[in-house]
Amino acid sequence: MKFSQVWMKLSPEVIDKIISIEAVRSIALKKGLKELRRKFMEENEDNRPAGVQEGRCLMLQNLLHSVNRALSDGRISPGVRKAIVSNFIGRIILEDASAKDRFQAENGIAPPAFLTISPTKKCNLFCKGCYASSSSENAETLSYTVFNRIIKEMKEKWASHFTVISGGEPLLYKSEGKTLFDILAGNQDSYFMMYTNSTLITKDAAKRLADLGNLTPAISVEGYEAETDARRGDGTFKRIMGAMENLRNAGVPFGVSITATRHNAELVMEDRFIDYYFQEQGAIYGWIFQYMPIGRSYTTDLMITPEQRLAMFEREERLIRERNVFIVDFWNGGPYAVGCISAGRPGGYFYIDWNGNVAPCVFFPYHLANIYDLYREGKGLNDVLFSPYFKSIRKWQNDYGYTQPPHNVDNYIVPCPIRDHHENAFNLVREFGAKPMDNEAESALNDPEYHRKMAEYGKTVKSLTDEKWKSGFLNIKRFK
């Protein structure tokens, strides 16, 4: 019997006991790594390009190593460990697949894996270039009743027990006398990741997160003190350091969320930067978000240049393959996600904001549906998923590579319809009459120079990375 088959038969309680003992965990880790290689490299049931499978396998291995180090170093408390095993491993990884199988049998595709929800636009900071244009003046907030209903519908319809929380600042969320902590407490069968500026993670807040156990914060940084404070305000970096210390002391695992611009693209790829946050501060994972020209004072001048993007890709590959870091670039990391994951693609997600507007992606701010309207009409998430708008985006994903045989898969290093293939995305926006989610998105929609620059950017990046894609992911096996 395969190791995975044995593992699937174990209860979360038994798994928790196994991973709490370092010697036993080490044996299980070795077998798990071997199983990953077999699953991705030998079986490759979905017939993906060999280099894509190698990279996906390596990324998961890096995550397992990161979690193992955190457990060994005591950065995950026993209470949080048990909650992670029960919620993340027990329900997300080992969940009975029957509900998902039924969904696929009925609808012809597998369901999305998660949603990203921004429950409030309110924020205590005023960051330059904020994608959401958030500030302390913004009052837009998703009602607690609807917020909770969305999460429960995901579980019932898709067997999805994972939700990403964005903002605004999620820890400022308050509705019907409830806060984000009430969402966590009321959904102990789900696991959450929260993008946060972290300035509100006091000792008490960290302890509450530890007691609940089902959320990991991804903390926003731009670099070190000078770079972070320049974008987020004086004193922000020191508060972030305090928050990280509070989380370490409480045993709550956390990661970092890095916004890369043309001003810090080299800095955030340096070894010393990685060592500082992953080794010294104890981050377990990292997400890189290349600045996207949407939101407050959007400008293409802050985007990393095509040449910087290629250099970042090469550096990210080295960090992943030589430093064994779990760090994923939302755009350059397309090969690890098998392309674009927006519009409810199988294994992917879509986005709901503080007003209930539903968009294909956080960075694709054009919507046709609103969750309040859908619920009033007796509809729900599946009506968005199977809308012509979302289906057309998924058709683009499929034609680009997701459902194609390996030799027909196009360059996943440039996977994004709105950033890397801008003309295609805005043709769909215009075809379906999708509405901007804010004033900035409306300005961009009606800005010919913006469209020209975005289209040129995508074509240039693709031309620079096509050879990397062909040699590194289609033909040559680089996995060790």
Side-chain angles (χ1 to χ4, degrees), residues 137-153:
E137 303 300 317
N138 297 116
E140 297 97 316
T141 297
L142 196 64
S143 77
Y144 178 83
T145 299
V146 168
F147 190 5
N148 204 43
R149 180 174 174 178
I150 292 168
I151 294 168
K152 292 188 181 301
E153 187 179 1

Side-chain angles (χ1 to χ4, degrees), residues 223-276:
Y224 304 105
E225 185 168 15
E227 296 82 15
T228 299
D229 284 4
R231 185 177 187 221
R232 298 183 178 273
D234 291 344
T236 301
F237 184 79
K238 287 185 172 63
R239 296 169 74 182
I240 289 172
M241 293 299 102
M244 289 184 176
E245 181 179 13
N246 294 337
L247 292 167
R248 286 195 302 272
N249 291 339
V252 177
F254 64 90
V256 288
S257 174
I258 305 156
T259 302
T261 71
R262 68 180 55 189
H263 302 306
N264 70 347
E266 288 77 24
L267 181 150
V268 299
M269 291 286 97
E270 293 176 353
D271 278 322
R272 68 186 184 97
F273 178 86
I274 299 300
D275 290 341
Y276 182 77

Side-chain angles (χ1 to χ4, degrees), residues 409-424:
V409 176
D410 210 336
N411 185 351
Y412 278 158
I413 303 172
V414 284
C416 178
I418 195 163
R419 184 188 184 93
D420 301 326
H421 307 273
H422 186 80
E423 292 167 319
N424 293 346

